[in-house]
Amino acid sequence: MLGYLIGFGLFVLVALLVMYLSHGSGVWKDVKNKKNKALNSCGPIKNLQNVKIANGPVVCVKCPGEVEYRQIKVVTRSARIGSGNGNEIVLNDEFAEPVHAVVKKIAQDSGSYYELVNMSKYNPVQWFNQDINDYETIGYRRGLKLNGKEVFYIGESKIIVTCPTNNHKPSKTERLVMSAGAENRSDENNDKTQVASAKPAPEPTKRIEPTRVYNCMHKAD
């Protein structure tokens, strides 16, 4: 046992000696630079996760025993729904699992949309299908694209999700500015047309008639 300890101690001393001797070498500098690059690359990702989502969906929740709905606005890329205290939307429901469902944003080149994903095997989310006027089950880890206003049951809790709409409308001032800009552009075009028409028209090219030669000599009698 003592021999193992002595051997381990020697190994540690040799490792420390190698690190000390190579501290100023190029290899150590390369390792340090790679470490710094990795840390710097993680910074933007961490900051991106802290960015809030503008115009996110609104989730209205009414748990068993509650009379009024609670309204929660989703401001992150994904919001967990369940009985766990760490969720963005906490349900006081004995039939709800710790993480029962997730509302998340799907971003694509053609646009973005929100979907609700069922995370429960035993008490799956029930979605009210307006086409059949009845509730149907969402499969495990299956997502449903949210469109307008959707109604769900998670356990015994009723959930209403309202998707965002375009909340930026042009004001009267913007309309006036845009219309004035259009008028100015129209006036510029008219001025250019007038300037072009003010140039003197080129004179028509004169047609030169060829000289006619007449034979005035008469034959001798």
Side-chain angles (χ1 to χ4, degrees):
M1 183 68 180
L2 182 60
Y4 287 109
L5 293 176
I6 294 174
F8 180 74
L10 291 174
F11 174 76
V12 173
L13 289 175
V14 171
L16 292 175
L17 181 62
V18 171
M19 292 177 63
Y20 175 76
L21 293 176
S22 62
H23 187 271
S25 65
V27 175
W28 183 263
K29 290 181 179 179
D30 291 340
V31 173
K32 189 175 181 180
N33 290 334
K34 290 180 180 179
K35 178 183 177 182
N36 292 333
K37 288 181 180 179
L39 292 175
N40 293 333
S41 63
C42 293
I45 298 175
K46 183 178 180 181
N47 296 332
L48 180 62
Q49 293 177 351
N50 296 328
V51 175
K52 293 183 178 181
I53 299 298
N55 198 25
V58 176
V59 181
C60 296
V61 180
K62 186 169 70 172
C63 296
E66 296 179 351
V67 179
E68 297 181 354
Y69 283 92
R70 289 182 288 126
Q71 182 172 301
I72 304 100
K73 185 175 182 180
V74 177
V75 295
T76 55
R77 288 181 294 173
S78 63
R80 296 167 298 176
I81 306 175
S83 59
N85 292 327
N87 296 327
E88 286 72 20
I89 302 173
V90 180
L91 303 179
N92 185 17
D93 189 337
E94 61 180 348
F95 298 101
E97 296 185 17
V99 179
H100 206 109
V102 177
V103 174
K104 63 180 182 178
K105 183 176 184 178
I106 306 297
Q108 297 177 342
D109 294 338
S110 58
S112 61
Y113 62 92
Y114 293 88
E115 69 175 11
L116 185 140
V117 183
N118 170 49
M119 303 298 294
S120 174
K121 290 183 178 180
Y122 306 106
N123 293 320
V125 177
Q126 300 288 318
W127 164 60
F128 181 73
N129 188 340
Q130 299 181 14
D131 294 335
I132 63 175
N133 199 30
D134 199 359
Y135 282 90
E136 64 179 55
T137 300
I138 301 177
Y140 177 60
R141 290 189 176 273
R142 296 299 180 94
L144 177 73
K145 184 177 181 180
L146 300 175
N147 184 20
K149 182 179 290 185
E150 306 286 358
V151 181
F152 304 92
Y153 265 101
I154 296 179
E156 294 296 326
S157 301
K158 191 170 184 179
I159 312 292
I160 301 175
V161 182
T162 304
C163 289
T165 56
N166 187 11
N167 59 351
H168 294 289
K169 304 294 183 183
S171 64
K172 294 181 178 179
T173 305
E174 290 167 340
R175 290 193 180 96
L176 291 173
V177 171
M178 294 301 292
S179 61
E183 290 177 358
N184 292 336
R185 288 193 296 270
S186 178
D187 293 340
E188 290 177 0
N189 294 332
N190 292 333
D191 293 340
K192 291 180 180 178
T193 303
Q194 292 176 0
V195 170
S197 61
K199 293 181 180 179
E203 295 182 359
T205 303
K206 295 181 178 179
R207 183 175 179 178
I208 301 175
E209 296 290 340
T211 303
R212 301 192 182 199
V213 180
Y214 296 93
N215 188 3
C216 299
M217 296 179 64
H218 298 279
K219 292 180 179 182
D221 294 335

